[in-house]
Amino acid sequence: MNLVAVPAFSDNYLWLLHDGRSALVVDPGDAAPVKEALRSLGLDLQGILVTHHHADHVGGVRELLPLLSPGAKVWGPAGESMPVDVEPLGEGDRFELLGQSFDVLDVPGHTAGHIAFVLKHPGDGGAPILFCGDTLFSAGCGRLFEGTPAQMHDSLSKLAALPGETRVCCAHEYTLSNLRFARTVEPQNEAVARHEAWCLARREQSLPTLPSTIAVELQINPFLRCEHADVREAAQRHDPSVTSQPVSVLAGLRQWKNEFR
């Protein structure tokens, strides 16, 4: 299986997974770059996966419908309004696509019905793949537009429990901005400094910083490190109302990040 990050808008990635003949696309907010990728690679579109309802994730779905192979489907969250009919999915669902078995996780927080897709055993024997939309970013997490800190903490904990080698396919190139914040939270975290240097080199070559891995995120992502003393104490220094509870720490970090410049 081949994993391709297709750039769109100013900082989105529309993920394409293909076997050299057939492809699926995740969160196609814009149809044009997907059409170009399919054309240039000579691929048939066998499915569309959608994690949540925001326009930069669903805006191109309707335009891509005529490209779908006969019998192919759009798969999306059961708890959110979609611009087209979808096969509704939620926690515990599993489906087959491109000869691969995908598991579905409910990961609310960014939106109320956000889901994630996990390919645990790619047919090529590679590391597992996570399509997490806007719930988890490299060194960050999504804003809480519709959910609560408790929901986001639960969702992130669920993703953090995936195998360390899992490839994390986030939907935005926010990594360097997130790492600046992570460095502010944990200035002594050497893993953050090393990863920031690597990401800077990647971006200087116009290459994506993604996919990340769960193992890397556990070292650099403050939102996955709410139980660490350094992260908790930093959040409390910034906002003395933050308690020692991880959900309170996450809430404090998220509000801090919202205002961070």
Side-chain angles (χ1 to χ4, degrees):
M1 302 301 292
N2 302 284
L3 184 62
V4 181
V6 179
F9 307 117
S10 62
D11 53 34
N12 282 71
Y13 289 128
L14 320 179
W15 291 95
L16 198 71
L17 188 68
H18 72 90
D19 60 9
R21 300 178 304 279
S22 300
L24 63 85
V25 65
V26 184
D27 286 344
D30 186 1
V34 176
K35 288 181 174 181
E36 174 57 26
L38 294 172
R39 185 202 62 77
S40 64
L41 295 170
L43 301 171
D44 295 321
L45 185 58
Q46 292 290 336
I48 299 172
L49 310 185
V50 178
T51 63
H52 66 291
H53 67 82
H54 286 164
D56 61 324
H57 293 253
V58 301
V61 172
R62 190 179 300 278
E63 189 176 339
L64 290 174
L65 291 182
L67 275 65
L68 283 171
S69 298
K73 299 178 180 180
V74 180
W75 309 80
E80 297 197 352
S81 177
M82 293 283 108
V84 301
D85 290 336
V86 304
E87 186 73 18
L89 299 169
E91 181 82 23
D93 285 335
R94 178 176 292 174
F95 63 96
E96 301 288 328
L97 188 55
L98 301 185
Q100 311 292 310
S101 181
F102 290 83
D103 289 291
V104 179
L105 300 174
D106 285 339
V107 286
H110 180 65
T111 65
H114 202 303
I115 61 174
F117 302 93
V118 182
L119 178 54
K120 293 182 178 178
H121 304 289
D124 59 2
I129 300 171
L130 166 67
F131 297 113
C132 51
D134 286 355
T135 296
L136 175 64
F137 297 129
S138 185
C141 74
R143 286 177 178 260
L144 301 178
F145 287 123
E146 299 173 11
T148 66
Q151 286 178 314
M152 181 60 86
H153 182 264
D154 181 67
S155 295
L156 293 176
S157 297
K158 194 179 296 184
L159 300 182
L162 293 171
E165 67 271 22
T166 301
R167 288 171 277 181
V168 178
C169 299
C170 318
H172 290 273
E173 183 58 76
Y174 290 164
T175 312
L176 286 175
S177 172
N178 288 340
L179 285 167
R180 282 199 308 112
F181 178 70
R183 180 159 37 85
T184 301
V185 175
E186 289 190 278
Q188 306 306 316
N189 187 329
E190 294 182 0
V192 170
R194 287 194 302 271
H195 196 64
E196 186 175 33
W198 182 84
C199 290
L200 281 166
R202 296 280 295 180
R203 296 308 293 155
E204 285 172 358
Q205 300 175 67
S206 299
L207 296 172
T209 63
L210 303 169
S212 182
T213 67
I214 292 295
V216 167
E217 294 308 310
L218 289 171
Q219 295 181 66
I220 68 167
N221 193 325
F223 296 94
L224 299 187
R225 297 170 59 80
C226 293
E227 296 183 5
H228 287 250
D230 288 350
V231 174
R232 180 181 67 249
E233 290 164 7
Q236 290 173 328
R237 283 193 299 272
H238 182 77
D239 179 358
S241 71
V242 171
T243 74
S244 61
Q245 297 303 308
V247 170
S248 179
V249 175
L250 185 143
L253 289 174
R254 187 59 262 180
Q255 185 57 39
W256 185 3
K257 180 64 167 66
N258 291 348
E259 302 162 354
F260 185 75
R261 295 292 180 270

